[in-house]
Amino acid sequence: METIAEKPKAVIHLLGLGCGNSADLTLKTVELLQSGLPVFLRTVNHPTVSWLREQGVVFTSFDSFYQEAENFTSLYQDIATKIISEAVKLGELIYGVPGHPLVAEQVSQLLLAEEKAPTGSPIEVRVYSAVSAIEGITTALGIDPAQGLIIQDALAYKEVAGDMPQLLLQVYSPLVAADLKLTLMASYPDDTPVTLVRAAGIPQEETIVNLPLHELDHIPWIDHLTSIYIPGGNLRVPAVVALDPLVAVMEQLRGPEGCPWDQEQDHFSLRPYCIEEAWEVVTAIEGGVSRELVDELGDLLLQIAFHACIAAETGEFDLADVVTAICDKMIRRHPHVFGELHFDSSAQVLQSWEQIKQAERAEVAQEWQPLLQGVGEGMPALSRARKIQEKVAGVGFDWRDASGPAAKVREELMELDAALVANDPIRGEQEFGDLLFSLVNWSRHVHIDPELALLGSCREFCERFFKMEKESLTSGENLVDKTLSELDALWERAKKR
């Protein structure tokens, strides 16, 4: 019986470009790079790339992907998807990365996971060893990693239990160093000695600087070739994750023997529950009963843990990442508390907050982003209007006091009257929206939350109308059968009661 030959798999040669010294490349790596196979590089920001150009090696880089990606998770996935697509199309290619192909390289892990996919894979991945940054750094510092060394990617740093030496790779920029400093200072004393190592293993470029932790972000030349070494014996408090029991509960609910409903949920299906639980927290606060507030805060925290658990299943992030991210953000955005700045008013604090956020967005995207991009999407209209106004107020675009928006409300009311008199429904809707927006602005200046105020009015109206219904039914009558003046009389009596 004849059988149809299985289609051969596309081959991806996964190799590393070493620390940056072309003399450290293996003979096999050099042979592959000069073989004429299509070459793809994660980035050209690596010293060995200059040697490739000198050798006439033609390559394609994925540096443009860094400008387009929303975050590093999507960036790595996009690169992996493109490599697989090109491999299937070309049949065979080379993918090169800085250092060792399996050290701090997420794309490599995605490619290997695809190769081992249970449903079958169109690719075969062949890995070639290289000198990694770890070898270069440990040689430069004269340390033996076998004696104990925790190695992490600086962009995905997680606190660790135990006071062992740590090596943080790919610090990338002074801003990353500043964030890392604040994170580390939560566990290490401010004067903990740390070592910056740049371009380890590259002759004439290798730089080693010893300095205290609190000066970590004072070095201007920090870049993608920079790593940080923290010796052991300095940890102030071992890292403890107090939310571990909640994580364990969620993992069991989502596990093979868990709850079918919990297993079916994803980020999108859980959206309404986040909103519902948040409003129930607000209701508990208004009720003033501590026990109810504890319960509702727990329900809201469960939603956060739920999303983190779903993300952890695909390796995106976990609950510890969420906690670390918000702690880092609060420290970073409160330089008047955790730094040396001083503000005299909450207005100055809000303005600084917005400026820091703008700088963060610019650093991540490497380009300007609109201040109001994505602000309040998914929020109720009144809350979104307030959020938008708070945003622009943070950069100084605001009325000086409440008299400004109060006058604007009167102006918008007159324009609405004019539109209604002209029997112009489209203009009427626009003017009504302008009136609501101005009312929200006014409420903000007199320190009233419009969403909560309207909710209070809705609740009060429902309570009074319930009293009207109850009085009417007690007398054996139906509200539908009453005249408007009789309904008004019932309303007034409900108000008095």
Side-chain angles (χ1 to χ4, degrees):
M1 179 183 295
E2 292 187 2
T3 59
I4 300 175
E6 183 179 347
K7 183 178 179 180
K9 292 186 177 184
V11 176
I12 298 175
H13 298 280
L14 180 57
L15 55 83
L17 301 179
C19 288
N21 185 354
S22 59
D24 291 333
L25 294 175
T26 66
L27 292 176
K28 184 61 179 178
T29 295
V30 173
E31 178 185 334
L32 278 169
L33 290 170
Q34 295 178 336
S35 67
L37 286 173
V39 177
F40 293 82
L41 302 180
R42 177 167 65 78
T43 178
V44 298
N45 294 319
H46 189 65
T48 304
V49 175
S50 298
W51 179 84
L52 293 180
R53 291 192 174 104
E54 292 172 1
Q55 300 301 307
V57 177
V58 178
F59 55 80
T60 301
S61 85
F62 292 106
D63 286 296
S64 62
F65 282 47
Y66 284 79
Q67 304 298 325
E68 300 167 3
E70 296 181 359
N71 51 58
F72 281 105
T73 300
S74 63
L75 166 68
Y76 299 142
Q77 186 61 64
D78 290 346
I79 294 176
T81 301
K82 181 65 175 177
I83 293 171
I84 294 169
S85 172
E86 291 293 327
V88 171
K89 181 170 63 176
L90 299 170
E92 188 174 5
L93 59 77
I94 295 169
Y95 175 58
V97 300
H100 191 287
L102 299 184
V103 175
E105 287 292 336
Q106 291 299 315
V107 175
S108 298
Q109 299 304 321
L110 292 172
L111 294 175
L112 291 171
E114 172 61 26
E115 181 189 35
K116 299 173 183 176
T119 55
S121 171
I123 64 170
E124 174 190 349
V125 182
R126 300 177 185 175
V127 182
Y128 303 87
S129 294
V131 176
S132 73
I134 299 172
E135 283 86 358
I137 295 168
T138 54
T139 299
L141 296 178
I143 58 176
D144 179 5
Q147 298 300 315
L149 180 64
I150 298 174
I151 304 170
Q152 296 193 62
D153 187 333
L155 294 175
Y157 176 77
K158 295 181 181 179
E159 294 184 34
V160 294
D163 197 4
M164 293 176 62
Q166 293 195 64
L167 180 59
L168 310 180
L169 307 174
Q170 303 183 130
V171 181
Y172 273 111
S173 70
L175 182 59
V176 172
D179 287 346
L180 198 56
K181 179 187 79 171
L182 295 175
T183 302
L184 291 170
M185 285 170 59
S187 301
Y188 292 91
D190 297 359
D191 59 353
T192 297
V194 300
T195 303
L196 279 178
V197 185
R198 183 190 178 279
I202 305 176
Q204 287 79 52
E205 292 190 39
E206 182 177 284
T207 305
I208 300 176
V209 174
N210 297 303
L211 71 168
L213 176 59
H214 65 85
E215 294 181 5
L216 185 58
D217 55 347
H218 294 184
I219 307 300
W221 44 256
I222 291 176
D223 62 9
H224 60 287
L225 297 177
T226 307
S227 300
I228 298 172
Y229 174 71
I230 309 169
N234 294 286
L235 194 65
R236 182 185 311 158
V237 180
V240 176
V241 181
L243 296 175
D244 278 353
L246 180 57
V247 173
V249 168
M250 283 310 313
E251 288 177 346
Q252 186 166 346
L253 289 172
R254 294 274 297 177
E257 304 300 323
C259 171
W261 185 89
D262 291 282
Q263 293 166 346
E264 293 171 359
Q265 303 312 305
D266 57 29
H267 291 307
F268 284 91
S269 68
L270 290 174
R271 288 178 298 170
Y273 303 104
C274 289
I275 298 172
E276 178 183 331
E277 298 299 351
W279 280 118
E280 289 185 0
V281 168
V282 173
T283 302
I285 292 172
E286 293 175 343
V289 180
S290 296
R291 182 65 255 173
E292 291 181 3
L293 181 56
V294 168
D295 290 341
E296 298 302 342
L297 286 172
D299 291 343
L300 183 57
L301 181 58
L302 177 66
Q303 291 300 310
I304 298 170
F306 210 148
H307 283 281
C309 183
I310 292 171
E313 292 167 1
T314 57
E316 294 177 75
F317 60 86
D318 57 23
L319 192 56
D321 293 323
V322 175
V323 174
T324 299
I326 189 59
C327 290
D328 290 348
K329 181 188 293 184
M330 291 300 99
I331 293 172
R332 187 171 61 249
R333 294 188 184 176
H334 290 81
H336 53 296
V337 177
F338 300 99
E340 299 177 357
L341 294 183
H342 175 74
F343 297 137
D344 296 319
S345 66
S346 58
Q348 290 177 319
V349 171
L350 292 175
Q351 186 172 7
S352 170
W353 179 282
E354 290 301 329
Q355 290 172 347
I356 293 172
K357 287 183 67 175
Q358 280 286 74
E360 291 170 352
R361 283 194 290 263
E363 177 69 22
V364 172
Q366 295 296 317
E367 61 181 20
W368 170 83
Q369 289 188 348
L371 177 65
L372 299 180
Q373 180 174 309
V375 172
E377 291 182 359
M379 296 175 68
L382 289 178
S383 294
R384 188 183 185 196
R386 182 183 176 92
K387 188 72 174 177
I388 289 171
Q389 292 167 8
E390 288 174 343
K391 281 281 186 183
V392 298
V395 296
F397 188 64
D398 197 11
W399 300 100
R400 288 192 181 126
D401 53 44
S403 63
K408 189 65 176 175
V409 166
R410 299 183 187 97
E411 175 188 328
E412 296 295 350
L413 185 57
M414 293 176 62
E415 292 179 2
L416 174 61
D417 283 337
L420 296 177
V421 169
N423 196 26
D424 185 342
I426 295 178
R427 184 183 161 204
E429 180 178 321
Q430 292 172 340
E431 297 297 348
F432 196 85
D434 290 344
L435 175 61
L436 287 174
F437 195 83
S438 298
L439 282 168
V440 172
N441 211 347
W442 192 7
S443 73
R444 186 171 56 85
H445 277 269
V446 294
H447 309 296
I448 295 173
D449 188 308
E451 194 76 39
L452 295 180
L454 184 56
L455 282 172
S457 294
C458 289
R459 182 169 55 252
E460 184 179 54
F461 183 91
C462 291
E463 290 172 353
R464 290 176 180 174
F465 199 82
F466 171 75
K467 293 174 183 177
M468 290 172 58
E469 290 180 304
K470 189 174 181 180
E471 180 179 339
S472 180
L473 290 172
T474 301
S475 62
E477 298 177 336
N478 196 308
L479 289 180
V480 178
D481 300 325
K482 291 187 176 295
T483 65
L484 182 58
S485 60
E486 291 173 331
L487 290 173
D488 283 339
L490 280 173
W491 177 261
E492 291 301 323
R493 286 197 294 275
K495 283 176 64 176
K496 291 179 181 178
R497 285 198 293 270

